Amino acid sequence: MESDSQLENLRSVLSCVFEKLGAESLTEPDRIELVARAEVMQDRIDAIQDAVGDEEHAPTRTTPVPEPAGDRLF
């Protein structure tokens, strides 16, 4: 699925952002920017997961089965 690959890409980016946030030599402006990027990535991940969840829980359309005509054979 396309959404699966998007989720993997976004999670990979988010992981890199968190890794950079752990760096000791990070300046405050860089930290603020990375936190903002992490929030954007998490929002995108949540949106994709919500969309996928909505598709999975959406009612499926079924063709109604006609009522039997009684005991008649023809």
Side-chain angles (χ1 to χ4, degrees), residues 67-73:
E67 292 292 321
D71 293 326
R72 298 183 323 186
L73 294 175

PDB file of all heavy atoms in Angstrom, residues 67-73:
ATOM      1  N   GLU A  67     -35.733 -11.526  -1.061  1.00  0.00           N
ATOM      2  CA  GLU A  67     -36.564 -12.352  -0.188  1.00  0.00           C
ATOM      3  C   GLU A  67     -37.067 -13.560  -0.985  1.00  0.00           C
ATOM      4  O   GLU A  67     -37.368 -13.454  -2.169  1.00  0.00           O
ATOM      5  CB  GLU A  67     -37.758 -11.544   0.313  1.00  0.00           C
ATOM      6  CG  GLU A  67     -37.387 -10.427   1.265  1.00  0.00           C
ATOM      7  CD  GLU A  67     -36.879 -10.967   2.588  1.00  0.00           C
ATOM      8  OE1 GLU A  67     -37.421 -11.980   3.087  1.00  0.00           O
ATOM      9  OE2 GLU A  67     -35.932 -10.352   3.124  1.00  0.00           O
ATOM     10  N   PRO A  68     -37.173 -14.704  -0.335  1.00  0.00           N
ATOM     11  CA  PRO A  68     -37.725 -15.874  -1.053  1.00  0.00           C
ATOM     12  C   PRO A  68     -39.178 -15.633  -1.440  1.00  0.00           C
ATOM     13  O   PRO A  68     -39.912 -14.969  -0.728  1.00  0.00           O
ATOM     14  CB  PRO A  68     -37.595 -17.017  -0.046  1.00  0.00           C
ATOM     15  CG  PRO A  68     -37.329 -16.383   1.271  1.00  0.00           C
ATOM     16  CD  PRO A  68     -36.823 -15.008   1.013  1.00  0.00           C
ATOM     17  N   ALA A  69     -39.564 -16.173  -2.576  1.00  0.00           N
ATOM     18  CA  ALA A  69     -40.898 -15.957  -3.108  1.00  0.00           C
ATOM     19  C   ALA A  69     -41.927 -16.859  -2.459  1.00  0.00           C
ATOM     20  O   ALA A  69     -43.062 -16.927  -2.885  1.00  0.00           O
ATOM     21  CB  ALA A  69     -40.893 -16.165  -4.615  1.00  0.00           C
ATOM     22  N   GLY A  70     -41.559 -17.566  -1.479  1.00  0.00           N
ATOM     23  CA  GLY A  70     -42.497 -18.476  -0.800  1.00  0.00           C
ATOM     24  C   GLY A  70     -42.104 -19.914  -1.089  1.00  0.00           C
ATOM     25  O   GLY A  70     -40.957 -20.219  -1.334  1.00  0.00           O
ATOM     26  N   ASP A  71     -43.095 -20.798  -1.035  1.00  0.00           N
ATOM     27  CA  ASP A  71     -42.832 -22.212  -1.249  1.00  0.00           C
ATOM     28  C   ASP A  71     -42.941 -22.615  -2.713  1.00  0.00           C
ATOM     29  O   ASP A  71     -42.893 -23.787  -3.024  1.00  0.00           O
ATOM     30  CB  ASP A  71     -43.800 -23.050  -0.406  1.00  0.00           C
ATOM     31  CG  ASP A  71     -43.537 -22.881   1.072  1.00  0.00           C
ATOM     32  OD1 ASP A  71     -42.360 -22.702   1.451  1.00  0.00           O
ATOM     33  OD2 ASP A  71     -44.498 -22.906   1.833  1.00  0.00           O
ATOM     34  N   ARG A  72     -43.106 -21.663  -3.581  1.00  0.00           N
ATOM     35  CA  ARG A  72     -43.259 -21.995  -5.010  1.00  0.00           C
ATOM     36  C   ARG A  72     -41.936 -22.471  -5.587  1.00  0.00           C
ATOM     37  O   ARG A  72     -40.882 -21.946  -5.247  1.00  0.00           O
ATOM     38  CB  ARG A  72     -43.717 -20.776  -5.804  1.00  0.00           C
ATOM     39  CG  ARG A  72     -45.060 -20.260  -5.364  1.00  0.00           C
ATOM     40  CD  ARG A  72     -45.513 -19.117  -6.199  1.00  0.00           C
ATOM     41  NE  ARG A  72     -44.414 -18.227  -6.604  1.00  0.00           N
ATOM     42  CZ  ARG A  72     -44.573 -17.104  -7.241  1.00  0.00           C
ATOM     43  NH1 ARG A  72     -45.765 -16.715  -7.573  1.00  0.00           N
ATOM     44  NH2 ARG A  72     -43.541 -16.367  -7.576  1.00  0.00           N
ATOM     45  N   LEU A  73     -41.975 -23.436  -6.428  1.00  0.00           N
ATOM     46  CA  LEU A  73     -40.764 -23.926  -7.083  1.00  0.00           C
ATOM     47  C   LEU A  73     -40.485 -23.156  -8.364  1.00  0.00           C
ATOM     48  O   LEU A  73     -39.355 -23.117  -8.818  1.00  0.00           O
ATOM     49  CB  LEU A  73     -40.898 -25.416  -7.405  1.00  0.00           C
ATOM     50  CG  LEU A  73     -40.976 -26.328  -6.186  1.00  0.00           C
ATOM     51  CD1 LEU A  73     -41.228 -27.770  -6.631  1.00  0.00           C
ATOM     52  CD2 LEU A  73     -39.687 -26.255  -5.387  1.00  0.00           C
TER      53      LEU A  73
END
